[in-house]
Amino acid sequence: MSSERRRGTGPLKLLVAVSEMVPYAKTGGLGDVAGALPDALLRRGCDVRVFLPCYRIVRERTREMEAVLDKVRAPLGGVSLEASILETRTEQGVPVYVVEREDLFDRPNLYGTSAGDYYDNLERFAFFCRAALLGCAAMGFAPDVVHCHDWQTGLIPPILGDLFPEAGSVFTIHNLGYQGLFPADRLPATGLSADRFFHPEGVEYWGRISLLKAGIVYADAVTTVSPTYAEEIQTPEFGMGMEGVLRSRRDVLSGILNGADYARWDPVIDPHLPARYGPGRMAGKARCKKALIREVDLDTHLEQRPVIGVVSRLDRQKGLDLLIGILDELFSLDVGLVVLGTGDAGIEEALRAAGERFDGRMALRLGFDEPLAHRITAGSDLFLVPSRYEPCGLTQMHAMKYGTVPVVRATGGLKDTVSAYDPGSSRGTGFKFFEPRPRALLEAVRLAVSLFERRDSWERLRKAVMEADFSWDESAARYMALFEDLRTRRQPFRSGSGRPPARRSSTEP
Ligand code: ADP
């Protein structure tokens, strides 16, 4: 390391390892974040490079990819396998290196099918982590900091010191519900030695391997995607069994709110909408509503009534069972409901039954449909996010930009991004409920619907909602400050032993 670099000057070299990224591959908010944050960091002068697995969809969607490394060898479970590294660039010019190995990544989906996760996800992502680091080394890019996201890249913090002893690591938790749990006897696939790593203060989690825990324990800094979620996950209610290990790292744990990607989510420029609109020229929103009602076959009288939109993974986390529990009362308010989602078979079935029962008032679209997600966000009056827990949540931020008033459960990032409407002062940017119960949700919707009926107040609220700004700049500045701090604090030696850098208390909850 040059003395200049040691003083922490010059552009910060950042390696981002991530398992999904817009526009190449996405299953949820992680993909949105990975698609927007590197560009925002580049704008702040960061020398950022991203590594991503080459899923089939990445190949299909990305015409221009150039092979930069033909044969990178990386170990997997005692054998050494080859991968190619292809390069593409984001619109802003961030290099994205795609790790290509057909037998591991050339599959219809990213993580699994409706029957369950791919049986070899441990091997797939362990290989990806090692190939990313080895690829970086082969290119001569020595990062100051490596930014890892969720369990798929949780192996990087414990192995980083072997190749890049001077690099710091940041591990970001996007959702604690996905813990990367695997049977202990598959540890050899990670290449971690059992003596050094498989213990309660390491990657062991109640007799199994947890790659999420690996990231939490061995990273130099741990972040999650909203300040409230950073607090919540240290409690038994939200910690999902990881609260003990998270509390033990609270001195390096912080919450940095996600931004919204306004290059993709802005009604002024959105190519998916039948009409564009923005603050001060809202006629387009009425046209979007009319078009949505026709597209999904709702009764046309609903043009004059509140239409509620939902775009969500169908998972217990998202609280849609709360919604299913109040449909009779909801439709007695004379509202329309449009739901787009995919996921849990039981929730899909319950929604399907409801959709048939409330034909004309409720429309259901099962599947993952990005353009429709935009049209629902624009064409609705209210946007519902009744999550049991929500690390950050992006859909409520998107909705706000589109003048669609959010109704959310006050948890995690939903709590941090929506301020409750106060009828006294007419302030606020949405409606919140606290208890994860159908009644509480219904009360919040009732309040929202009664305000919709008072045109002037509604217009004022909608204006305030559209003025809320969640652009990436501020969040990117926070990440940059964290990375810079790590670079300066980082000692020019790293033990390379794989042991955590500081004290550890018990990791068991
Ligand atoms: P999570 O990551 O937990 O799924 P977020 O709110 O952080 O939730 O991000 C979800 C992202 O995925 C948003 O951009 C949302 O619009 C999108 N999305 C979710 N479900 C669908 C779907 N069925 N079709 C299209 N986009 C979807």
Side-chain angles (χ1 to χ4, degrees):
M1 182 184 269
S2 74
S3 56
E4 181 186 296
R5 288 271 308 288
R6 198 172 295 137
R7 285 198 304 274
T9 56
L12 184 129
K13 294 186 176 190
L14 180 73
L15 162 64
V16 177
V18 71
S19 62
E20 54 184 271
M21 176 181 189
V22 162
Y24 314 106
K26 161 178 165 178
T27 67
L30 170 61
D32 289 314
V33 172
L37 178 57
D39 280 345
L41 293 169
L42 182 79
R43 286 196 293 273
R44 304 198 79 84
C46 184
D47 179 358
V48 49
R49 314 194 182 188
V50 183
F51 272 77
L52 179 76
C54 189
Y55 309 107
R56 182 174 305 167
I57 192 155
V58 176
R59 264 226 160 274
E60 286 169 357
R61 282 195 187 165
T62 320
R63 291 238 157 69
E64 283 165 27
M65 289 203 289
E66 201 179 306
V68 286
L69 287 174
D70 219 13
K71 289 187 176 121
V72 173
R73 297 198 78 90
L76 178 63
V79 294
S80 161
L81 301 179
E82 274 179 5
S84 311
I85 311 272
L86 314 175
E87 181 182 349
T88 179
R89 284 186 183 244
T90 66
E91 273 169 29
Q92 303 270 323
V94 172
V96 179
Y97 297 112
V98 180
V99 176
E100 185 183 51
R101 170 129 193 133
E102 277 180 22
D103 57 352
L104 294 178
F105 302 119
D106 183 15
R107 302 188 188 179
N109 300 309
L110 275 58
Y111 310 126
T113 65
S114 56
D117 290 346
Y118 291 133
Y119 72 96
D120 57 350
N121 275 348
L122 175 66
E123 288 74 14
R124 297 171 76 223
F125 290 103
F127 180 78
F128 168 66
C129 290
R130 289 189 178 273
L133 294 181
L134 287 160
C136 237
M139 285 175 206
F141 182 74
D144 297 306
V145 176
V146 181
H147 191 187
C148 314
H149 298 265
D150 276 353
W151 73 262
Q152 292 87 344
T153 51
L155 181 60
I156 288 182
I159 65 174
L160 183 60
D162 298 343
L163 265 180
F164 298 112
E166 291 167 352
S169 57
V170 176
F171 183 70
T172 296
I173 302 165
H174 294 260
N175 191 331
L176 205 55
Y178 300 88
Q179 303 189 337
L181 296 172
F182 300 96
D185 60 8
R186 285 170 61 195
L187 191 70
T190 65
L192 298 176
S193 86
D195 286 353
R196 274 164 51 188
F197 293 97
F198 196 71
H199 49 78
E201 296 189 354
V203 306
E204 183 201 340
Y205 182 71
W206 297 104
R208 290 195 280 176
I209 305 159
S210 166
L211 289 183
L212 181 86
K213 191 177 165 202
I216 296 172
V217 168
Y218 292 100
D220 296 311
V222 180
T223 70
T224 185
V225 288
S226 70
T228 293
Y229 195 57
E231 294 299 319
E232 286 174 342
I233 57 179
Q234 297 179 55
T235 68
E237 188 188 350
F238 292 94
M240 300 191 152
M242 291 284 173
E243 59 272 17
V245 66
L246 286 160
R247 274 201 306 273
S248 79
R249 302 237 59 203
R250 65 177 165 260
D251 50 343
V252 297
L253 171 65
S254 61
I256 301 178
L257 195 68
N258 284 338
D261 185 355
Y262 293 139
R264 293 189 173 84
W265 289 92
D266 181 349
V268 176
I269 52 169
D270 192 329
H272 302 300
L273 305 187
R276 313 255 157 82
Y277 63 93
R281 47 187 191 103
M282 293 294 281
K285 183 162 176 73
R287 286 217 290 284
C288 288
K289 179 174 177 181
K290 203 167 167 175
L292 177 68
I293 285 173
R294 278 180 177 55
E295 176 180 356
V296 301
D297 261 336
L298 289 183
D299 287 348
T300 49
H301 87 276
L302 290 168
E303 280 172 28
Q304 308 307 323
R305 297 294 305 160
V307 167
I308 303 172
V310 174
V311 177
S312 181
R313 280 187 298 115
L314 301 180
D315 182 283
R316 201 182 128 72
Q317 173 201 341
K318 298 292 182 178
L320 292 176
D321 50 312
L322 306 179
L323 174 64
I324 292 168
I326 57 160
L327 287 179
D328 278 308
E329 290 96 329
L330 188 81
F331 291 118
S332 74
L333 300 172
D334 194 16
V335 299
L337 175 64
V338 187
V339 180
L340 168 66
T342 178
D344 179 89
I347 302 175
E348 288 195 356
E349 193 40 51
L351 285 170
R352 205 185 325 245
E356 278 167 24
R357 195 165 152 229
F358 296 104
D359 189 28
R361 285 174 285 174
M362 171 172 170
L364 173 68
R365 295 291 180 272
L366 294 175
F368 198 91
D369 185 338
E370 193 113 28
L372 181 58
H374 286 244
R375 292 196 295 277
I376 292 174
T377 305
S380 304
D381 300 292
L382 293 169
F383 197 91
L384 202 59
V385 194
S387 306
R388 288 201 162 70
Y389 74 92
E390 193 58 72
C392 178
L394 295 174
T395 57
Q396 82 281 9
M397 297 191 209
H398 299 156
M400 289 162 89
K401 186 75 176 171
Y402 286 65
T404 305
V405 177
V407 179
V408 303
R409 162 125 199 272
T411 183
L414 298 172
K415 191 170 168 185
D416 293 340
T417 52
V418 178
S419 64
Y421 179 74
D422 171 20
S425 66
S426 298
R427 293 194 175 199
T429 55
F431 298 87
K432 281 173 159 173
F433 63 100
F434 289 83
E435 289 297 305
R437 295 186 204 293
R439 290 278 129 206
L441 166 60
L442 182 62
E443 280 321 302
V445 175
R446 258 194 229 285
L447 251 178
V449 169
S450 68
L451 202 75
F452 177 88
E453 288 158 358
R454 294 179 14 221
R455 278 286 144 182
D456 286 353
S457 307
W458 183 256
E459 291 309 330
R460 273 200 302 278
L461 170 60
R462 207 159 63 169
K463 188 163 175 289
V465 162
M466 291 179 91
E467 278 167 3
D469 181 11
F470 302 105
S471 51
W472 264 104
D473 290 349
E474 201 184 314
S475 304
R478 281 175 207 262
Y479 276 110
M480 258 329 254
L482 175 67
F483 299 152
E484 287 288 9
D485 184 48
L486 260 185
R487 166 160 80 162
T488 343
R489 275 194 296 122
R490 191 83 209 147
Q491 298 299 310
F493 59 87
R494 188 184 166 109
S495 71
S497 68
R499 295 297 301 176
R503 88 283 156 304
R504 288 286 168 272
S505 59
S506 167
T507 55
E508 297 307 84

